[in-house]
């Protein structure tokens, strides 16, 4: 993202937008005619290409090539012959080159031939201006999510956006509105919607298997304090100012950004400047499941309270919340509680009703090897085995997705609604951010989910948005 002084003036030309729309219409028509062999760049012999030319695929650019991109998002799409990662982008020159090698090595192995030609970008806006790219994977740090997504859909690209949706509620609203106005497909990376046990749990709750739903308990990990705050030289080839983006300038230190060697869990996840901590990092998954089960995907809570342990001054660089407890009340009368996971409260979602309880979790699944899952449990449990018995033919059913990235690709091809669209993602993230605001203020808050404003609370309303550092402002 070099050359950011012109950031506010970026707008793709109508010519590029028209070319992409025409090509995308062609893709939709051609890819419904059966499966073909995986397609490599034109430097690969025609014998490898099969009957599908490169223009018949969804060409994808990866924006942000760190841990979650390498371990989860790129593998999530490159396994499909209908899609091809043709470009990678990162503010770290070392990482973008390793991403190019990573992608080319995969396709070389899959095609059984030499594979080169993956484009590299440092400025994501240059990638968005590439008319050969149809869609993007956004796997950047949280504080860039909304802006990346808004610029992408305005450039005519479809978007797979890592959660959480946004750094603030105001940014999430702007993102959802931009997506809906664009007609592009955005899917948030809440992959639990594509895990069978979570869909089944939500169907069972919606069909009254636990009786009248009274309470949902969300159990999330916490983050420990620590991190070295000592200023360090900015590594060569890393555009640190652009990486900070809209957030205030602070000196570079490795624990504030990402490891210089390897792709372990980055320090920015534990800095409030760039995100809210586990309440959004993991909460975006579990609170989304709560909304799905309650059929409250397009609304939110009306009352919120909570408290949390925050690191004491001088305890290190990382300042996101540790242990916490929150409580939200919805208009349907259901109370949704958030608690820190523990040995007797394993990570997952517990539904309690008048006729029993139902618990759902990921089991042993992890999106990345460094994901902090400290407790594991069975993926689906209930107080009575009858709660888990198959539903009847006339029962309420929810959308089925066998694979989250695959669901996104299918929605691009056939134009149908994907399983976690922008507004649903925004509402789930909002529920998480409301709890974070309650943690910071330490008192009960009253929220209007229609107006997306707190009732008679100027202090709380001032936390719906954050100031943006020029020239990275929205």
């Amino acid at each position: 993202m070099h050359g950011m002084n012109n950031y506010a003036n970026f707008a793709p030309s109508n010519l590029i937008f028209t070319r992409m729309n025409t090509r995308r219409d062609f893709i939709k028509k051609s890819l419904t005619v059966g499966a073909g062999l995986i397609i490599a760049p034109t430097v690969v012999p025609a014998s490898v290409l099969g009957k599908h030319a490169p223009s018949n695929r969804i060409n994808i650019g990866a924006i942000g090539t760190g841990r979650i991109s390498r371990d989860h998002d790129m593998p999530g799409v490159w396994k499909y012959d209908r899609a091809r990662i043709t470009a990678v982008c990162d503010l770290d020159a070392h990482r973008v080159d390793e991403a190019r090698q990573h992608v080319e090595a995969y396709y070389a192995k899959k095609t059984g031939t030499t594979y080169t030609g993956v484009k590299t970008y440092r400025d994501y806006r240059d990638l968005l201006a590439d008319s050969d790219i149809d869609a993007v994977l956004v796997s950047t740090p949280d504080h860039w999510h909304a802006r990346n997504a808004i610029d992408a859909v305005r450039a005519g690209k479809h978007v797979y956006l890592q959660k959480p949706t946004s750094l603030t509620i105001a940014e999430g609203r702007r993102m959802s509105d931009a997506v809906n106005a664009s007609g592009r497909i955005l899917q948030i990376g809440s992959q639990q919607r594509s895990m069978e046990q979570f869909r089944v749990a939500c169907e069972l709750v919606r069909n009254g298997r636990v009786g009248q739903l009274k309470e949902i308990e969300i159990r999330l990990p916490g983050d420990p304090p620590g991190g070295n705050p000592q200023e360090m030289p900015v590594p060569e080839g890393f555009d640190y100012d652009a990486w900070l983006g809209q957030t205030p300038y602070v000196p570079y230190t490795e624990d504030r950004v990402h490891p210089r060697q390897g792709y372990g869990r980055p320090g920015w996840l534990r800095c409030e400047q760039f995100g809210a901590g586990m309440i959004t990092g993991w909460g975006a998954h579990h609170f989304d499941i709560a909304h799905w089960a309650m059929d409250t995907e397009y609304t939110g809570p009306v009352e919120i309270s909570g408290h949390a342990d925050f690191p004491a001054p001088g305890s290190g660089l990382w300042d996101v919340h540790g242990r916490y407890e929150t409580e939200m009340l919805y208009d349907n009368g259901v109370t949704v509680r958030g608690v820190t996971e523990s040995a007797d409260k394993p990570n997952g979602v517990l539904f309690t009703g008048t006729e029993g309880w139902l618990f759902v979790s990921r089991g042993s699944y992890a999106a990345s090897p460094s994901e902090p899952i400290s407790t594991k449990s069975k993926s689906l449990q209930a107080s009575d085995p009858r709660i888990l018995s198959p539903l009847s033919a006339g029962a309420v059913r929810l959308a089925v997705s066998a694979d989250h990235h695959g669901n996104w690709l299918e929605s691009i091809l056939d134009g149908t609604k994907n399983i976690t669209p922008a507004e649903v993602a925004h509402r789930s993230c909002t529920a998480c951010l409301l709890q974070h605001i309650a943690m910071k203020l330490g008192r009960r808050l009253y929220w209007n989910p229609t107006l997306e404003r707190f009732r008679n609370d100027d202090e709380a309303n001032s936390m719906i948005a954050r100031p943006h550092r020029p020239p990275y402002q929205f």
Side-chain angles (χ1 to χ4, degrees):
M1 287 189 287
H2 59 279
M4 298 301 290
N5 288 334
N6 296 321
Y7 187 92
N9 299 321
F10 170 64
S13 70
N14 290 333
L15 174 62
I16 290 175
F17 191 86
T18 301
R19 288 174 63 193
M20 287 188 288
N21 278 343
T22 302
R23 184 173 180 279
R24 197 168 287 108
D25 289 340
F26 180 66
I27 287 172
K28 288 180 181 178
K29 293 176 182 178
S30 61
L31 287 186
T32 56
V33 191
L37 296 175
I38 190 163
I39 306 166
T42 53
V43 296
V44 175
S47 59
V48 179
L49 297 179
K51 65 181 180 180
H52 291 304
S55 59
N56 295 17
R57 292 185 312 263
I58 303 173
N59 287 338
I60 295 172
I63 301 174
T65 62
R67 173 190 67 128
I68 200 68
S69 180
R70 292 174 63 92
D71 293 346
H72 184 64
D73 288 333
M74 289 196 285
V77 298
W78 70 23
K79 64 186 178 184
Y80 288 99
D81 291 354
R82 73 193 77 167
R84 178 60 55 89
I85 298 173
T86 60
V88 292
C89 176
D90 202 283
L91 291 167
D92 188 323
H94 172 72
R95 285 192 162 197
V96 79
D97 190 58
E98 286 198 341
R100 176 190 59 78
Q101 296 176 48
H102 188 53
V103 175
E104 291 180 348
Y106 173 80
Y107 286 132
K109 182 177 180 180
K110 189 166 187 177
T111 60
T113 186
T114 301
Y115 190 102
T116 59
V118 173
K119 301 175 186 177
T120 59
Y121 293 95
R122 298 290 305 285
D123 186 329
Y124 80 96
R125 297 167 302 159
D126 293 337
L127 182 150
L128 295 181
D130 186 340
S131 60
D132 290 332
I133 294 174
D134 306 296
V136 294
L137 298 169
V138 175
S139 313
T140 54
D142 296 359
H143 63 291
W144 267 107
H145 285 181
R147 184 65 203 235
N148 290 154
I150 290 170
D151 285 347
V153 297
R154 287 178 176 170
K157 315 298 187 187
H158 301 291
V159 180
Y160 186 98
L161 179 64
Q162 258 307 323
K163 53 78 203 164
T165 307
S166 58
L167 183 65
T168 67
I169 294 171
E171 290 177 13
R173 169 46 55 212
R174 295 182 71 162
M175 185 281 296
S176 182
D177 289 348
V179 172
N180 291 329
S182 72
R184 300 300 94 190
I185 302 292
L186 181 142
Q187 173 130 299
I188 197 71
S190 297
Q191 69 268 17
Q192 289 181 172
R193 287 212 176 201
S194 297
M195 297 180 186
E196 184 179 19
Q197 71 268 30
F198 286 98
R199 174 180 53 79
V200 169
C202 292
E203 288 178 339
L204 292 171
V205 172
R206 284 211 192 186
N207 283 280
R209 284 297 180 85
V210 296
Q212 183 181 354
L213 183 62
K214 293 294 186 180
E215 182 178 299
I216 304 174
E217 185 173 84
I218 307 293
R219 301 162 177 175
L220 305 175
D223 265 316
N228 181 9
Q230 184 66 41
E231 182 176 359
M232 301 169 63
V234 176
E236 183 179 356
F238 179 47
D239 191 342
Y240 178 59
D241 188 79
W243 186 90
L244 288 172
Q246 56 158 295
T247 72
Y249 182 84
V250 288
Y252 172 84
T253 181
E254 183 174 352
D255 283 354
R256 179 175 276 125
V257 188
H258 54 249
R260 295 307 304 161
Q261 299 293 325
Y263 291 86
R265 190 163 182 255
W268 64 259
L269 282 166
R270 287 164 274 196
C271 297
E272 281 201 330
Q273 180 166 342
F274 313 117
M278 284 295 187
I279 195 65
T280 53
W282 259 88
H285 291 298
H286 286 348
F287 288 98
D288 176 62
I289 296 302
H291 282 185
W292 205 18
M294 290 192 291
D295 194 15
T296 57
E297 297 167 277
Y298 293 92
T299 183
V302 293
E303 295 183 23
I304 312 100
S305 62
H307 66 271
D309 295 334
F310 289 92
S315 59
L317 176 70
W318 300 328
D319 58 358
V320 295
H321 71 87
R323 295 191 62 82
Y324 81 103
E325 289 186 13
T326 59
E327 180 178 297
M328 298 189 292
L329 177 65
Y330 284 70
D331 260 341
N332 59 10
V334 177
T335 297
V336 179
R337 303 184 191 279
V339 299
T340 307
E341 68 177 19
S342 61
D344 60 340
K345 288 181 179 289
N347 188 313
V349 184
L350 175 68
F351 300 95
T352 302
T354 55
E355 303 297 326
W357 57 262
L358 173 67
F359 177 76
V360 62
S361 77
R362 292 189 184 185
S364 60
Y365 168 84
S368 169
S370 61
E371 194 166 6
I373 301 179
S374 59
T375 55
K376 298 179 176 65
S377 61
K378 292 183 180 178
S379 59
L380 194 59
Q381 305 173 63
S383 56
D384 187 323
R386 289 175 295 183
I387 292 175
L388 302 179
S389 61
L391 292 166
S392 61
V396 174
R397 299 289 184 175
L398 298 173
V400 177
S401 167
D403 181 86
H404 210 58
H405 292 92
N407 177 261
W408 175 59
L409 297 174
E410 289 171 6
S411 67
I412 293 172
L413 295 176
D414 60 25
T416 58
K417 181 179 176 182
N418 56 309
I419 201 165
T420 49
E423 183 64 20
V424 168
H426 166 60
R427 295 292 183 164
S428 297
C429 185
T430 294
C432 300
L433 291 169
L434 289 171
Q435 292 170 87
H436 186 248
I437 293 172
M439 289 178 192
K440 304 297 283 189
L441 296 179
R443 54 182 168 79
R444 185 167 294 275
L445 305 172
Y446 300 89
W447 179 249
N448 184 321
T450 302
L451 299 178
E452 296 191 317
R453 297 282 293 175
F454 291 101
R455 192 176 75 205
N456 301 324
D457 197 325
D458 291 341
E459 184 181 19
N461 281 323
S462 71
M463 301 171 74
I464 292 173
R466 295 191 196 183
H468 293 168
R469 181 172 68 100
Y472 306 97
Q473 64 267 31
F474 277 41

